[in-house]
Amino acid sequence: MDFLRVNDCLLFFRILTVWLCCIAVASTSFTCAHAQGTSKDLLLPDTPDYASLSLNGKELFDGLTNNGQYRGETIIVRMRPIAEVLSNNRLQITIPGRSEQYDVHIKTIEYSDDRNYKVYGTAGESLLSVLLTSRNGMKGGIIQGFERSYEICDLGEDGQLLLGHENDAGSSNFCASGIGSAMQVDPLSESDERGRKPGDNAKIEPCTSGIRVLFIYPNTVSPVSAANHASNTIDIFNQTVINSGVTGTALAELAGVAQTTYQPTTGIILDEALNLSNNADAQALRNQYKADLVLWFTWQGYFKAFGGVPDPKTYLHPVNARAFAVVSLNGTNVPVIGAHELSHLFGCNHDDDNFGLPYSRGYVFAIFNTLVARGNAPGSKIFYYSNPNKSFAGSVMGDATHNNAKVMNDKAAIVKAFKSEPNVLNGWISGPTSGYEYQTYTYEAIAKCGSPPYTYQWKESADGINYSGNGTGEFYNVGLYHNGNHLFYLKLKITSSDGQVVENWIQIWVNDDPNGGYRKGQKENDSLQIESDETILQPNPASGAVQLTFNAEKANQIEVSLAGLNGRLHVNRQVFQGVEGRNVIRLDLAGKRLPAGIYIVTARCGSQVIRKKVVYQPASKP
């Protein structure tokens, strides 16, 4: 303790320095957004009021605010389509009625269409997150600022509702579990319904996709409120898993949102969570939805807590029979509380807890709290688990006793095996996440569960939004390119014979190729040919028609497409009949009303894929 006292000044100076650096970054990002940001703000300038909402919009608003009893700020907004506001991996957000403006640095994009996407970024170069999602048109997400944060909920055709709060509001009673300096205890673990204790012969069921989470609510909670908070909770939890380098087996999926007959029974949230885990209706719903974890939303107020799980000092999670959490909707930033509580069910503890796994503490560093920390440092909880292998601005996010990322890695398989899962189709893309421009790489579709055989559809993009191509097959050969930001995207749609569909994306970093041209794909048995000197696109630059000359290994249909560097498709699958040997394909550019610029001509002939850049310069009128 003497050491800490002597070095109080030094510690305070270091924290103050990091704080000032972060404020400088944030201030630069916020004040300069108009000068260098996107041409359009995400939020439309007009701000609707409650009276202007439709009947459906008012019902949604009332449900989300419990008929006006929500204690935080409410702002009704309308969002522009994501595709309209993204520019150079940046977008701008201005909060109506406030002098808050965020220059958002986009980190990842998963985009199917304007009704289905997930976009993740940070406020400037800080660790504060901006998460924008849409599921079949239902918008959600979160906007984190240094002083204030907002949850995004959907109002249907009327727009979106921002539920705002001060970041420090409720920081002292965010979560009830744990008592800091409690003596470490080691009770006997409870057995599950099959007589198996946590960790005993734990195995992942043969057909699983994610850890299934069921969200339940009593009749005092609106279904629309539960659905919005549930989706946002899953997104924040998964983004934390991804940001922290935790294995994909810890990713969660929405098992369902259902009403329960269970009603509040106590004013102590730890006791409430325990009672919930013993409730017959809650258990029956868990079995019906085959959920590994259950989270209950309620408007009930609790003494010094907005979230809790069955006392972790007693049960030392993960425990199958006690995999239940409670979140009060009276709390600030409900989905962050929800993600925090779900993490407790894996065995993650607060920064000041000393029970359970010796490395299971959250962490407070500089001005930030990792997701499961309880510390009262100013600022938001960031979407990271404590992890000694992660750092920001020279500050490490953990150490040997503060490593919740390791907890998640170590315990995910146990949690995932709590309940057997239905035969849910799962799939992803396997292949390199970086490469050289215009060199060809092979990507593989991985499909599990569902009912084989599977069909595959591949598309590609330089901006993550505008996709082109219609590749099929388990393997896909692609020549990487980019539109100046060094990023390239692949999208894969897998359909199983029983009608299940899953889509996945991969973001690839593209380095400029010092040598140009193509190279053979990574798989030894693929039939993609190396382009020879006989592969020619001319004239180049062009103001009218161009000719692509190349050799085909056998007679086949040739599909030709033309796309801009922004990914926009101008010619989609124009089909020619090819012959074995030399082929000459003519493509008229003048009739496409193209602006001057650089375009990509793609020709597919069986497994052979050729891409060429062409500079188009419209002919000047006499």
Side-chain angles (χ1 to χ4, degrees):
M1 294 299 294
D2 288 340
F3 174 81
L4 292 177
R5 292 192 185 99
V6 170
N7 287 277
D8 272 347
C9 292
L10 178 59
L11 179 61
F12 176 79
F13 176 75
R14 288 178 176 172
I15 294 174
L16 180 62
T17 301
V18 175
W19 166 261
L20 291 175
C21 290
C22 292
I23 291 296
V25 170
S27 299
T28 301
S29 300
F30 298 166
T31 57
C32 295
H34 277 306
Q36 63 183 15
T38 60
S39 58
K40 294 180 181 178
D41 196 280
L42 175 67
L43 304 181
L44 289 162
D46 62 312
T47 305
D49 58 12
Y50 180 84
S52 67
L53 297 178
S54 66
L55 179 60
N56 180 62
K58 289 178 180 178
E59 290 178 352
L60 295 174
F61 182 99
D62 293 342
L64 289 164
T65 61
N66 195 25
N67 294 307
Q69 295 183 50
Y70 174 72
R71 299 175 183 177
E73 182 179 17
T74 58
I75 303 175
I76 303 171
V77 299
R78 291 190 179 96
M79 294 170 58
R80 286 189 174 95
I82 286 290
E84 290 184 5
V85 297
L86 274 177
S87 177
N88 296 322
N89 289 310
R90 300 271 177 172
L91 65 81
Q92 181 179 297
I93 301 176
T94 303
I95 305 299
R98 288 190 172 274
S99 58
E100 295 177 64
Q101 190 177 88
Y102 302 96
D103 179 23
V104 182
H105 184 191
I106 302 302
K107 303 294 186 181
T108 58
I109 301 173
E110 296 178 6
Y111 188 94
S112 177
D113 52 52
D114 196 52
R115 293 175 55 82
N116 296 277
Y117 58 78
K118 184 178 83 171
V119 176
Y120 170 73
T122 58
E125 304 301 326
S126 72
L127 283 177
L128 299 180
S129 297
V130 174
L131 186 62
L132 308 171
T133 66
S134 183
R135 291 178 175 85
N136 294 318
M138 189 180 102
K139 304 292 192 298
I142 191 169
I143 303 169
Q144 283 189 319
F146 275 89
E147 298 179 358
R148 194 176 293 103
S149 295
Y150 302 89
E151 181 185 1
I152 304 171
C153 297
D154 199 72
L155 295 176
E157 297 299 323
D158 291 86
Q160 289 72 43
L161 177 63
L162 302 185
L163 300 178
H165 63 272
E166 305 295 325
N167 286 345
D168 290 336
S171 60
S172 61
N173 58 354
F174 185 88
C175 174
S177 58
I179 57 172
S181 58
M183 294 295 292
Q184 182 170 343
V185 295
D186 188 20
L188 294 175
S189 299
E190 293 190 7
S191 300
D192 63 15
E193 64 270 20
R194 292 172 289 181
R196 192 179 70 191
K197 295 181 179 180
D200 291 348
N201 303 314
K203 70 181 183 67
I204 301 175
E205 300 292 340
C207 276
T208 61
S209 48
I211 290 171
R212 294 172 60 82
V213 183
L214 171 66
F215 294 85
I216 58 178
Y217 59 94
N219 58 9
T220 54
V221 173
S222 164
V224 68
S225 178
N228 274 268
H229 293 314
S231 294
N232 287 336
T233 298
I234 290 289
D235 288 334
I236 290 173
F237 179 89
N238 284 342
Q239 196 62 54
T240 304
V241 168
I242 293 168
N243 289 349
S244 307
V246 174
T247 177
T249 57
L251 292 172
E253 66 178 26
L254 185 65
V257 183
Q259 186 173 339
T260 176
T261 60
Y262 180 81
Q263 295 291 333
T265 58
T266 174
I268 306 299
I269 205 165
L270 296 185
D271 294 342
E272 189 81 271
L274 180 62
N275 292 344
L276 178 68
S277 72
N278 290 321
N279 178 261
D281 187 61
Q283 292 173 350
L285 286 170
R286 184 189 183 195
N287 292 333
Q288 176 185 341
Y289 285 88
K290 299 184 183 296
D292 300 301
L293 306 175
V294 180
L295 190 150
W296 185 62
F297 289 128
T298 177
W299 282 106
Q300 174 77 2
Y302 295 97
F303 178 67
K304 293 186 177 180
F306 292 133
V309 300
D311 192 347
K313 302 184 304 302
T314 301
Y315 298 104
L316 296 181
H317 298 283
V319 179
N320 189 356
R322 302 301 177 207
F324 291 77
V326 174
V327 171
S328 171
L329 300 182
N330 292 299
T332 59
N333 212 335
V334 166
V336 175
I337 299 174
H340 174 111
E341 298 305 328
L342 291 178
S343 302
H344 278 315
L345 296 177
F346 286 74
C348 295
N349 289 331
H350 297 142
D351 52 293
D352 55 353
D353 292 337
N354 62 358
F355 53 82
L357 295 169
Y359 48 85
S360 62
R361 295 181 180 182
Y363 199 61
V364 179
F365 71 102
I367 61 169
F368 294 122
N369 300 302
T370 55
L371 182 69
V372 197
R374 178 174 38 200
N376 296 327
S380 292
K381 290 196 183 326
I382 56 173
F383 298 170
Y384 285 84
Y385 291 114
S386 56
N387 187 342
N389 299 316
K390 296 283 184 179
S391 62
F392 175 71
S395 296
V396 180
M397 296 188 193
D399 55 34
T401 60
H402 300 76
N403 192 350
N404 276 329
K406 178 173 172 56
V407 175
M408 299 297 292
N409 277 323
D410 290 351
K411 300 303 180 181
I414 294 175
V415 175
K416 196 170 185 178
F418 277 171
K419 293 289 182 180
S420 60
E421 297 186 31
N423 187 26
V424 178
L425 175 65
N426 186 23
W428 60 90
I429 300 170
S430 177
T433 57
S434 64
Y436 287 106
E437 186 180 23
Y438 294 103
Q439 291 193 8
T440 302
Y441 297 84
T442 298
Y443 291 84
E444 182 179 3
I446 306 296
K448 289 189 175 182
C449 310
S451 297
Y454 310 104
T455 58
Y456 309 94
Q457 182 183 67
W458 298 84
K459 292 183 180 293
E460 54 195 63
S461 171
D463 64 359
I465 292 179
N466 298 290
Y467 282 83
S468 63
N470 192 31
T472 59
E474 186 177 354
F475 297 96
Y476 186 69
N477 299 306
V478 61
L480 303 181
Y481 58 93
H482 63 84
N483 64 358
N485 61 5
H486 290 278
L487 293 176
F488 180 83
Y489 301 85
L490 277 180
K491 181 168 67 175
L492 169 66
K493 179 179 180 181
I494 304 174
T495 304
S496 59
S497 60
D498 59 351
Q500 296 188 64
V501 178
V502 63
E503 283 192 328
N504 269 275
W505 293 260
I506 184 173
Q507 179 177 277
I508 305 162
W509 177 261
V510 184
N511 293 300
D512 291 328
D513 184 4
N515 301 314
Y518 286 79
R519 68 173 176 82
K520 192 175 178 65
Q522 290 185 332
K523 290 185 68 63
E524 294 180 359
N525 62 349
D526 76 330
S527 58
L528 181 65
Q529 290 184 338
I530 303 172
E531 287 190 39
S532 68
D533 293 339
E534 296 179 357
T535 303
I536 301 170
L537 180 71
Q538 60 183 6
N540 196 359
S543 58
V546 294
Q547 288 190 165
L548 177 66
T549 304
F550 68 98
N551 284 329
E553 50 189 19
K554 61 182 179 180
N556 210 331
Q557 282 190 338
I558 302 170
E559 296 180 356
V560 177
S561 62
L562 178 74
L565 289 182
N566 64 357
R568 181 183 176 186
L569 197 62
H570 298 278
V571 176
N572 184 21
R573 298 180 64 194
Q574 188 169 337
V575 178
F576 301 85
Q577 182 57 51
V579 299
E580 182 178 353
R582 186 172 183 269
N583 286 266
V584 179
I585 302 298
R586 185 178 184 276
L587 188 64
D588 184 16
L589 304 184
K592 309 301 179 186
R593 297 182 179 180
L594 303 174
I598 300 175
Y599 296 86
I600 308 297
V601 176
T602 302
R604 303 176 188 273
C605 183
S607 60
Q608 195 173 357
V609 182
I610 295 172
R611 285 181 178 82
K612 286 290 189 181
K613 277 184 179 179
V614 59
V615 179
Y616 179 65
Q617 299 173 342
S620 57
K621 296 182 180 179

